[in-house]
């Protein structure tokens, strides 16, 4: 490449897929969620509650209707990416921890019936006066105890950063300590930003341990979330996150999370979902330049210029 030539754009061969969470549309039924995903250009959906039901194993549209659900998804070409649970595994009391495990197992059984590949849980908080390392140890033991069921059901368990464990270091510690192929991480940059942790550090640190990425945007005042924003309108460098994932050859789902279930003043799903899909799809499809360390060939051979021989006259 000569000094005057610019790097050419490489063709995009990314395998990143795009989904959205049902948090964005708490009033929609399952057929509306699925057909809207197809209409707005998503590849899949994550269910985090369905209409009024946060506990999905008891949701009438899912319980006992696995074949109908799978047919609905198949007919629309939409994948069920993940089931989101409210369970955490940080409880110190054995009875509370057993209850949380039972809830996660209920979700995993439902995911198996629906041919859904993963169940996502949050990490939770430390108890009063508890040491973080003690709680991380308890989390490790609890997660490890669920791996046999995950293997039997062929349902991957995803742990999402949040609460008192919002950093990529916490996620990496747990994934490395459990060290099982059925446990992966769900990275949420909104949570990471509460520790002023940028995706440029977190995503490469987690690397192949990432099983899912939750994407939303927000404005921040230092480490305080001020307001949620559509992707590209806040402080979370969403386009840069997608660029990093592409560079890592990430081949999983980026799921748009718009928490309208908790913040009802946010834009309606009919507005937010197509806008987010366009922005994120453009980021995913954007061609990346071929990077070079220098302009021109630094090691090009340098030949001695031969002396001119006078012409015979």
């Amino acid at each position: 490449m000569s000094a005057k030539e610019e790097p050419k754009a490489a063709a995009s061969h990314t395998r990143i897929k795009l989904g959205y969470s049902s948090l964005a549309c708490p009033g929609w039924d399952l057929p509306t969620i699925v057909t809207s995903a197809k209409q707005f250009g998503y590849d899949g959906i994550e269910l985090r509650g369905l209409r009024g039901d946060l506990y999905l194993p008891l949701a009438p549209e899912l319980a006992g209707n696995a074949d109908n659900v799978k047919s609905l998804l198949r007919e629309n070409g939409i994948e069920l990416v993940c089931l989101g649970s409210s369970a955490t595994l940080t409880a110190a009391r054995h009875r509370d921890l057993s209850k949380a495990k039972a809830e996660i197992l209920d979700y995993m059984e439902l995911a198996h019936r629906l041919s859904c590949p993963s169940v996502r849980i949050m990490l939770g908080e430390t108890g009063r006066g508890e040491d973080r390392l003690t709680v991380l140890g308890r989390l490790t033991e609890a997660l490890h105890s669920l791996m046999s069921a995950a293997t039997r059901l062929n349902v991957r368990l995803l742990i999402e950063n949040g609460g008192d464990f919002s950093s990529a270091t916490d996620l990496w510690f747990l994934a490395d300590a459990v060290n099982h192929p059925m446990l992966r991480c769900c990275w949420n940059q909104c949570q990471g930003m509460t520790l002023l942790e940028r995706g440029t550090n977190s995503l490469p640190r987690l690397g192949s341990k990432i099983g899912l990425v939750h994407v939303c945007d927000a404005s921040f005042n230092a480490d305080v979330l001020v307001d949620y924003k559509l992707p590209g309108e806040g402080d979370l460098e969403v386009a840069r996150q997608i660029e990093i994932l592409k560079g890592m050859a990430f081949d999983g789902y980026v799921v748009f999370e718009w928490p309208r279930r908790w913040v009802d003043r946010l834009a309606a799903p009919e507005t937010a979902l197509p806008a987010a899909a366009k922005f994120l799809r453009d980021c995913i499809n954007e061609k990346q330049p071929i990077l070079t360390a220098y302009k021109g060939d630094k090691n090009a051979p340098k030949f001695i210029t031969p002396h001119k021989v006078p012409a015979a006259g």
Side-chain angles (χ1 to χ4, degrees), residues 107-109 111-112 116-119 149-157 182:
Y107 268 78
M108 293 172 73
E109 292 279 0
H112 175 72
C116 176
S118 58
V119 167
T151 302
R152 172 175 56 84
L153 297 169
N154 194 29
V155 174
R156 181 174 286 177
L157 192 59
M182 299 308 289

Side-chain angles (χ1 to χ4, degrees), residues 2-109:
S2 70
K4 294 183 179 180
E5 289 181 311
E6 295 295 330
K8 296 180 180 179
S12 176
H13 298 294
T14 180
R15 293 170 289 176
I16 296 175
K17 293 183 179 181
L18 183 59
Y20 77 86
S21 167
S22 62
L23 282 179
C25 47
W28 287 0
D29 59 15
L30 186 61
T32 304
I33 293 172
V34 172
T35 56
S36 295
K38 180 180 180 179
Q39 177 186 350
F40 297 146
Y42 291 89
D43 303 301
I45 57 171
E46 174 185 303
L47 293 181
R48 174 70 172 103
L50 187 57
R51 304 190 82 174
D53 297 297
L54 267 181
Y55 194 76
L56 292 176
L58 296 181
E61 289 185 87
L62 300 178
N65 289 304
D67 290 340
N68 293 340
V69 172
K70 289 190 283 188
S71 294
L72 173 66
L73 293 162
R74 185 169 55 252
E75 289 165 5
N76 287 277
I78 298 298
E79 295 180 312
L80 180 54
V81 180
C82 181
L83 302 182
S85 167
S86 301
T88 63
L89 294 169
T90 54
R93 296 174 59 186
H94 178 75
R95 182 175 62 183
D96 295 335
L97 187 57
S98 296
K99 182 179 178 181
K101 288 182 183 180
E103 177 175 329
I104 294 168
L105 287 171
D106 282 349
Y107 268 78
M108 293 172 73
E109 292 279 0

Side-chain angles (χ1 to χ4, degrees), residues 163-177:
D164 289 333
F165 304 94
S166 294
S167 74
T169 302
D170 293 327
L171 283 183
W172 189 93
F173 177 93
L174 290 167
D176 186 64

Side-chain angles (χ1 to χ4, degrees), residues 18 40 42 230-233 256 258 267-282:
L18 183 59
F40 297 146
Y42 291 89
L230 288 172
E233 298 179 3
F256 172 52
W258 188 241
E270 295 86 352
T271 300
L273 291 175
K278 182 182 186 311
F279 179 87
L280 294 171
R281 186 67 71 186
D282 286 348

Side-chain angles (χ1 to χ4, degrees), residues 173-190:
F173 177 93
L174 290 167
D176 186 64
V178 176
N179 191 27
H180 197 282
M182 299 308 289
L183 181 72
R184 285 293 180 268
C185 303
C186 173
W187 177 249
N188 185 322
Q189 185 57 41
C190 261

